[in-house]
Amino acid sequence: EDLVDIYPNRGMFVRAITIEDISQVFDIRMILEPYMIRLVCGNMPEEVIDKLDERQQDADHMNEDAVLEEDDYFHQTILKYVKNSHLVKIMQNLYDCNRMRIIFTRQTLSSRGALTEHREILAAVRRNDPDEAARLMEDHILHSKNRAINALL
């Protein structure tokens, strides 16, 4: 995942994370996640939507680590309802890249806003409105990208 540089006889060093690295991962997510949420519309049970929505509401009482955990939980739960195993594998890899970048850079993405965006996406999924869900997902990915880049500045 290009996070470590190995130099013979010198050792391993964590590679600096660049704005370009962050941008590339989010650019791929911008293409795939709106499509993915379209696949989920009509396939996610109401009780799962309710549970996700409830978890996202509690963001005001969470520390930053808990907010990041909820962000991950949201995206992982959506993946469970995508009926395309190849897309799921690709998305898992992208999410793993995001997780590792956060760990290695010790950055926070100020993700409380993301949880509000998740609730809006869930409302569109609940209404079985794939066009609106995809539009909201695009907005969410763009905002997340901006938050990630700003964390590096």
Side-chain angles (χ1 to χ4, degrees):
E1 292 172 19
D2 260 354
L3 296 173
V4 176
D5 290 326
I6 300 172
Y7 299 98
N9 301 318
R10 288 186 25 213
M12 296 186 331
F13 300 89
V14 175
R15 190 170 73 76
I17 304 300
T18 67
I19 290 173
E20 185 66 21
D21 294 326
I22 299 293
S23 188
Q24 288 177 5
V25 170
F26 279 100
D27 289 348
I28 295 167
R29 288 181 63 190
M30 180 66 86
I31 294 166
L32 296 177
E33 286 194 68
Y35 173 73
M36 186 176 76
I37 201 70
R38 285 177 184 279
L39 296 177
V40 170
C41 280
N43 290 321
M44 186 178 279
E46 193 74 26
E47 59 273 10
V48 174
I49 296 170
D50 291 342
K51 181 179 179 183
L52 271 176
D53 191 44
E54 182 180 315
R55 289 180 66 134
Q56 305 300 298
Q57 287 181 41
D58 294 335
D60 291 338
H61 311 298
M62 295 179 196
N63 64 31
E64 191 66 24
D65 288 339
V67 171
L68 288 170
E69 186 176 311
E70 286 307 315
D71 181 66
D72 187 56
Y73 182 82
F74 172 81
H75 291 281
Q76 293 297 327
T77 301
I78 287 173
L79 274 183
K80 291 178 184 175
Y81 295 93
V82 173
K83 306 295 187 218
N84 181 324
S85 62
H86 298 287
L87 179 57
V88 169
K89 287 177 189 173
I90 291 167
M91 294 309 301
Q92 284 288 11
N93 186 41
L94 288 173
Y95 294 150
D96 289 346
C97 285
N98 276 354
R99 246 182 258 113
M100 294 307 290
R101 290 181 199 306
I102 290 167
I103 290 167
F104 281 133
T105 61
R106 299 192 189 283
Q107 73 184 42
T108 60
L109 303 181
S110 220
S111 299
R112 262 179 237 292
L115 300 190
T116 300
E117 294 162 3
H118 292 170
R119 294 186 69 221
E120 293 168 354
I121 294 165
L122 286 171
V125 171
R126 185 185 306 275
R127 292 189 309 272
N128 196 18
D129 186 345
D131 292 335
E132 180 67 0
R135 185 191 68 74
L136 290 166
M137 184 61 84
E138 287 175 0
D139 289 348
H140 170 59
I141 299 303
L142 180 60
H143 295 150
S144 296
K145 177 181 178 178
N146 290 336
R147 285 188 285 268
I149 289 171
N150 286 333
L152 286 179
L153 299 178

